[in-house]
Amino acid sequence: MYLATTDAAATATKVTRGRVGGPVLALGAVSLVTDISSEMVTAVLPLYFVLQLGLSPLQFGFLDGLYNGVTALVRLLGGHAADRGGRHKLVAGAGYALSAFSRLGLLLAGGGTVGIGASIAADRLGKGVRTAPRDALISLSAPPDALGRAFGVHRAMDTTGALLGPLAAFALLWATADAYDAVFVVSFCVGLLGVLMLIVLVPGRTADPLGRPAPAAPARQRGRLLAPLRDADFRRIFGAAALLGTATIGDSFLYLLLQRRLDFAVSWFPLLPLGAAAIYLLLAVPAGRLGDRIGRRVPFLCGHAALLGGYILLLITDAGPVLLVGVLLLLGVFYAATDGVLMALAGPVVPAARRASGMALLQTGQALSRLLAAAGFGAAWTLWGDHSALIAAVVALAVALAAAVFLLPRPERQPSRV
């Protein structure tokens, strides 16, 4: 039995070395198309809210926090449902479909804050439902020592969509004389295409890299949404990620600050995410592979240090090219070194039978903390002005980063337990 298992592991390592499996690539293709849909809307929302609808930074901060943090309970339920019977694809597909149909809600809202908030909530509910099952599928489709590469490849494909989405939004707004409805309609159609791709391309059940089906959770643990928190290493990762999330003010605020500092035409605003997305695309796979080699806590911490550098740059310089290139570069480094790396860091410490639940807990902690960060920064901007609010954000992130250095476990535990 031991020799057979060892031979299987060696064969799996030989097969997967230097490339990722078909399920990861299929999920990457689905995410690419879906991100085109979502980023078309995300790229224009700050302008739509602040400039066209006239919302204050405080109102926008609330909606932006809602956009990222309203999914707390749904993330947990989605991860729990996916783990029951290994229904990761079914639960993920429901989330993708809900996000696609939320675009129609933006059309029907008619500029009303309540309707817009409900549509944003529906989109984030869909993302909350699908993200943990999708990441669990990726984690279960790659060997533990190659999780960084697998998540890096997926995030690179996902980011390709993030690059194409703002371009599509920019082209539509230019061609239709700022008709936001056209952006919402096209986004809906592209989102439906992503759902169809998931149905056709992604396997219904995923085996581990040794060819064994993912084990079911023990009956006594199926009803325990917080069961992954029993693991000490997972608790430390969860705490560090949530703490750092409370000091992450959100991309939309950074882009609004850049627009104010540089005073460029608002028609160019949807292109700002392209710079960060391009860096993310270039560095996602190298960051994942580096984490596989030296430990994933190192790039994760360095990514947040890069984000801190972006905040500081906004404070100390008004030089146009330096500010624009520097902030977008550092923001891209932040995402490349943290997004997929965090999932690869947490995956090995969560049993396969509860993988989606564990990732849902981790994502929920981040979502709630970023909700607080977005609302807090919006309130600080409204009350004190953008400069003072940014100083507070720099101090908060520096303190959180110092605490995370001590919180994150070391050395990492690489083999996944079942």
Side-chain angles (χ1 to χ4, degrees):
M1 173 100 44
Y2 173 78
L3 291 176
T5 303
T6 303
D7 290 343
T11 300
T13 302
K14 185 184 300 182
V15 170
T16 59
R17 183 179 293 139
R19 65 181 181 87
V20 296
V24 175
L25 294 176
L27 287 164
V30 172
S31 292
L32 188 156
V33 172
T34 302
D35 228 42
I36 293 175
S37 170
S38 63
E39 291 301 323
M40 286 179 66
V41 174
T42 301
V44 302
L45 280 181
L47 290 179
Y48 186 59
F49 289 159
V50 176
L51 299 182
Q52 179 154 321
L53 300 184
L55 301 186
S56 71
L58 177 59
Q59 291 172 309
F60 174 69
F62 174 77
L63 289 175
D64 187 61
L66 181 69
Y67 196 80
N68 290 287
V70 75
T71 58
L73 180 59
V74 175
R75 286 176 186 266
L76 296 176
L77 294 177
H80 179 65
D83 281 337
R84 291 178 65 90
R87 295 177 293 185
H88 300 88
K89 177 181 176 179
L90 177 63
V91 175
Y96 280 113
L98 180 59
S99 289
F101 281 98
S102 72
R103 313 290 188 250
L104 297 181
L106 290 171
L107 287 172
L108 300 175
T113 304
V114 174
I116 291 172
S119 299
I120 291 174
D123 177 60
R124 293 300 93 181
L125 288 175
K127 184 170 183 179
V129 166
R130 73 178 185 255
T131 302
R134 181 205 66 199
D135 284 349
L137 282 170
I138 296 170
S139 179
L140 294 169
S141 300
D145 61 353
L147 284 177
R149 183 172 71 241
F151 277 102
V153 169
H154 174 269
R155 294 318 196 247
M157 297 179 73
D158 183 85
T159 307
T160 301
L163 278 167
L164 297 176
L167 280 175
F170 176 77
L172 280 171
L173 290 177
W174 178 79
T176 60
D178 295 339
Y180 290 93
D181 288 354
V183 176
F184 300 150
V185 169
V186 174
S187 173
F188 166 69
C189 295
V190 177
L192 280 185
L193 176 61
V195 175
L196 294 176
M197 291 176 64
L198 177 77
I199 295 172
V200 173
L201 298 178
V202 178
R205 289 183 180 272
T206 301
D208 71 7
L210 301 182
R212 302 167 302 192
R220 67 180 182 278
Q221 295 176 347
R222 287 176 183 167
R224 300 175 182 175
L225 295 177
L226 305 181
L229 286 172
R230 290 186 172 187
D231 184 275
D233 283 349
F234 183 82
R235 285 198 304 271
R236 293 168 72 89
I237 295 170
F238 177 89
L243 182 61
L244 287 165
T246 59
T248 304
I249 64 176
D251 300 354
S252 297
F253 278 121
L254 291 182
Y255 298 146
L256 285 172
L257 287 169
L258 278 175
Q259 197 277 331
R260 288 197 169 202
R261 296 285 194 278
L262 303 180
D263 195 27
F264 52 78
V266 295
S267 60
W268 294 98
F269 189 90
L271 295 182
L272 285 178
L274 294 180
I279 301 301
Y280 187 5
L281 176 61
L282 290 174
L283 297 182
V285 176
R289 297 186 69 174
L290 180 65
D292 289 339
R293 292 179 182 177
I294 67 172
R296 291 153 194 155
R297 71 189 302 275
V298 175
F300 182 71
L301 292 170
C302 290
H304 283 89
L307 182 64
L308 178 61
Y311 293 178
I312 294 173
L313 197 59
L314 278 165
L315 283 175
I316 65 175
T317 182
D318 288 323
V322 173
L323 183 60
L324 180 63
V325 174
V327 170
L328 296 182
L329 172 65
L330 292 169
L331 186 61
V333 171
F334 162 68
Y335 279 113
T338 59
D339 188 11
V341 170
L342 177 61
M343 295 298 104
L345 175 64
V349 303
V350 182
R354 295 198 299 271
R355 190 67 51 85
S357 298
M359 291 185 170
L361 274 172
L362 190 56
Q363 293 157 4
T364 296
Q366 280 194 310
L368 289 177
S369 60
R370 288 178 178 177
L371 168 62
L372 294 175
F377 186 79
W381 186 341
T382 301
L383 296 173
W384 305 333
D386 59 345
H387 186 78
S388 296
L390 193 54
I391 291 176
V394 167
V395 173
L397 183 53
V399 172
L401 184 57
V405 171
F406 295 99
L407 270 177
L408 287 174
R410 62 176 138 183
E412 296 171 24
R413 191 189 321 156
Q414 292 297 336
S416 179
R417 301 172 308 188
V418 294

